[in-house]
Every structure is written in C-alpha cells, then in structure tokens.
Amino acid sequence: MLPTFAIVGRPNVGKSTLFNVLTKTRNAIVANEPSLTRDRQVGRGHIGTHDYWVIDTGGLEGEPDAMNELITQHAWLAIQEAQGVLFLVDGRSGLTAVDENIAGQLRRFNIPIHLVINKAENLLPELVSAEFQLLGLENIHTISAAHRWGIDSLMESVLAPFPPSSNEAADISAEEGIKIAIVGRPNVGKSTLVNRLLGYERVITFDQPGTTRDSIFVPFEREGQRYTLIDTAGVRRRAKVFETIEKFSVIKALQAIEAAHVVIMVLDAQEGMTDQDAHLLGHILTSGRALVIAINKWDGLEPSHREQVRYHLGRKLHFVNFAQIHYISALHGSGVGQLLGAVNTAWQAAHQPINTAQLNQVLHQAIKNHPPPLVRGRPIKLRYIHQGGHHPPVFVIHGNQVNALPDSYQRYLINTFREVFALAGTPIRLELKSGTNPYEDRKNILTPRQQRKRQRLLQYVKKK
C-alpha cells in the first residue's frame, strides 16, 4: 500500500494548487475564490523512489452553512484515511484564529502533521515561520505551490519514514480498471448514483444544482473486477453558463468522457429528455465511448405516467439505440444493481477482437441478402473487410465506389455486425476505402503504337 497524505486547511490557502503540483496534473480546479473545492479529490504522485496518494479537501472552518458543514465532514474523513497530514497555511496572511482551531482539532488524530506555510516566495523562511511556531507543531516547511518552490524538500521530508515503492506500485493501469464517467445535466442525481454504486457517502450530495464542481475519480472493486467511477459536474446549455468556475467544471466533465471507457448518461424521468441531453449524448457518440443510459427518479412517477415516458424516450433516443436503458432510483437503489452488468457488457463489446474471416463471411452474406444500390448504372463492390481498431470497434471495408455507399446501407451493415457479433452498448464505425487505378497518372500518356497511329492520322487529315 502506498502512503496517503491529506491536504487540509482553511479556505483559499492554496490546497488545490499544491494538489496539482504534487500529482503533476490539473485535475483540481484552481481559482481565486474561497470554498471552491467541495469533494475529496484523490491523485497519485511520484518523487525520487517514492509513489504516494494525496487527497485534496475542501476548506475547513468556512462560512457556517449546510454546504460547508458537509465539506468539513468530508475533509475529516480524508484525514482518517491518511497516513499523514499536510496542514496548509497562508504565509502572507499570517497566523489566524481559524488556523489555531484547525491545529487543535488535528492533534486529536494520531498521525504525523506537517505544517506547510504556503505563498512564502520572496519571504525569509525563518521570519515567516516564526509566527507559526505558536502552533507547537514540530514539522514546519515553507513553500510556494504556485511557483513550485520548496516542493521537493517538503516531500522528501514527508516520505522519509516510508520505504521506497516497488516496481509493481508504479503501474496504475491495472488498478484503474474500467473507467466509468457519470454524466448528465445538473441535479439529475449523478452524485447520489455514485454513492449508491459505492455503497457509502463518498461524494457530497446536496439539493442544489451545481454541487459537484470537479471531476472526482473514485476507484473500487466489485466481484473481482476493478472500476474507477468519475463523478462529474452537471452540463448545461452553453448560453446558460455564465460563471468562469462553471465553465471549467463543464470542460472537466467533457474531458471525463474522453478519459472514460464507458459513460453512464443519467436522465431525469420527471423532466424527460431535453435538448441539452440530446446535445450531450451527441458528444458521447462523437467521442466513440460505450454508453449506458440510466433514467433516474423512476420511483417518483405514477404507473400511467411511466408508459408515456417510455414512449417519448424511445422515440427521442433512436440515434443511440445501441445503448442499454435502465430505469432506476439512485436514492432508493432500485434498478441500480443492473448498471455494472450493463457497463461490463458495453466494455467487452467495445474491446472485442473479431476474426477477419468471420467478418468477411458476414459481409458477403449481408451483400447477398441485400446488394448495394447502383451508382450511375454501375454496382458498388464491397470486396474485403477487416477490423481497424477498438473502443469503439472500427471496421475497414475495401472496394470500388465505396465512397458513394448510402448512409442507409452503412446503417444496415452496422446493425448486421452488431447483431451477429453481439456488440451491444458501443457505437460502431465504418471506414470505406476505394481501390486505386494504377494507371491513373498515365491515362494521358500515349504508348509508342498509339503515337504512330496518331501521327498517321494527322498526316491523312493534312492531305485531305
């Protein structure tokens, strides 16, 4: 097990900036705004011979409201999961009463506490740390997270009691497993679904749109299979996104789709499918990600209303008819147990290798059943097919005049491949390649015989 360190402190002292530096990522949103971070963000870092986990947390002792109470609860949970604490303070603001209160509460935990004085660039370390000696903490470090100053010496000191990491620990691809992005509009129940799938309160849920801001990666294991859930911020129409913070959140949600193997798109059964849902589904389709659709808050509908919702959703979701649809209640758990099975099916279909001989046999049988149409009186000839990629499956078809193959016939081929090879839950792409004419560049060049014939013809014309 790698050592884990929680970054804690009052709001706006630079915790997310330090998290990004330690993980060498930009996973945590950073802005000059207090209480920006809400959920725990976990990332992996490496320095020298050591690998480690680091947890970004929301600001402690923020404004006394319901949201900040939840943020504080999750920060203390992060400390309980850690083998050490990086207690971040602001060197320019100096020691505050809030810092003293947090230090007193941290002493209740029997884990090492490292006092990290941030924003100490251009300040004398001895001078800036003198005031914080009043906290009575032994391990004091001065850094500037924004300028990457003092980071190496900080982590060398923090990691000194821990043995070097093994080679196996450096490979994280197997640990991530199947990456699942949970996406949808604000307040459709994404975070509630994440907690339900995990079986505990991992991310903050609040009856307020826009609660989640970062994309939160949470690894877990179920029945021997590893997964990483990605909770994302709600995506609204661009015209309704005004705040810079929300713009960053939306960008991170779209990036989470690109990082995922499978996307669970959450729709609100009570509101039905909106134009924004269709736009987001279009983005998922373009990205080529495997897809599962979860219709949430299904338990809140009357039986007569459910049939009407099923009908309208079936009509509007025709362009992603390859995806399994599940009607669930994330709050009460009904139907949620089937989602991971659908995720596994979609992931396997997206990565399934298909034998070339079988592909050609299916293609030729499809052509025999329904030949391609004629183009200017000439037949389109589909001669050969092979698999050109995975995630999503890509099938490359070679032939003559294939660029003129109608979209309707391409859909026919895609549906045939999907049915024969059981490729449920994933989009399929066709690449069409026409054969080239080896004499294309020589069509205007005459052979010697043609040249002699042409010369005789010209002489004959002159005599006449």
Side-chain angles (χ1 to χ4, degrees), residues 311-328:
Y311 170 76
H312 287 293
L313 285 175
R315 183 169 56 86
K316 292 182 178 181
L317 292 172
H318 65 89
F319 68 102
V320 286
N321 57 1
F322 60 86
Q324 292 189 39
I325 300 177
H326 294 271
Y327 299 88
I328 69 167

Side-chain angles (χ1 to χ4, degrees), residues 19 27 39 66 125 146 206 234 251 256 265 273 286 335 381 407 449:
F19 174 87
N27 289 344
D39 290 290
F206 198 66
I251 290 171
M265 174 73 182
M273 182 173 167
T286 301
K381 295 182 180 180
D407 291 342
R449 183 179 178 181

